[in-house]
Amino acid sequence: MAGEKRSPVYEEALMQELAYAIAHIAHAEQHLLEIDSQLSEPKLAQRIDKLRMSRKALGEVLLEVAGIRGNGGGGEERSAAESLWCTLKHLSMAIVHCDECAEKVTRRLVERASAGDVSGTRELLAQLSKIYATRREALGMLMELLRGEELRGESVEAVRCREDLCVE
């Protein structure tokens, strides 16, 4: 229904899911770029660009949900909040990479625990705690930036990743 007020929990959950989706698409682009770089000639450029355009669409939705979209001045200036796009993308990717690191450390942790390696288990638990702390920090920063009011209405020069989002 038009004009329907959404709950803050809904908005927060939607922003997190959009950030995760953006990160996974960017990660898929990265993997395709890795494959393409090993081929004698690039063959995946169209697929990579298609993924980038999908990520762009989700980025636009994320900025709209966060109330950031539409604050820009156009031309060479962007709202400071819109210029955060690259930071938001990289923070979301960092969260996914933390998850992958945690999976690898957890797998090793289970192996060492099964083998009765107490000191190795303690070491891996400490590593896992640091990975989880970094993940929480990245997610917290991402959500703070999306909810933040400190940059609303401020303008800055366009950042180098402006074309990545293609918001004009």
Side-chain angles (χ1 to χ4, degrees), residues 20-105:
Y20 294 148
I22 289 164
H24 283 291
I25 291 172
H27 205 161
E29 287 174 70
Q30 184 180 15
H31 284 300
L32 290 179
L33 284 165
E34 289 169 358
I35 293 167
D36 225 15
S37 72
Q38 294 177 27
L39 301 175
S40 59
E41 64 181 71
K43 295 181 179 183
L44 301 172
Q46 285 184 323
R47 293 178 192 273
I48 293 165
D49 191 54
K50 188 173 182 176
L51 284 173
R52 187 184 67 78
M53 295 307 288
S54 295
R55 180 170 45 82
K56 169 194 171 249
L58 290 181
E60 290 171 352
V61 173
L62 177 62
L63 293 177
E64 288 171 6
V65 170
I68 296 171
R69 184 89 166 87
N71 292 340
E76 289 302 311
E77 282 204 343
R78 306 285 294 161
S79 73
E82 286 174 304
S83 292
L84 287 172
W85 165 246
C86 195
T87 301
L88 299 174
K89 177 181 71 173
H90 286 289
L91 281 171
S92 65
M93 289 183 72
I95 293 164
V96 169
H97 285 292
C98 283
D99 291 346
E100 290 193 356
C101 291
E103 289 174 13
K104 287 173 177 42
V105 170

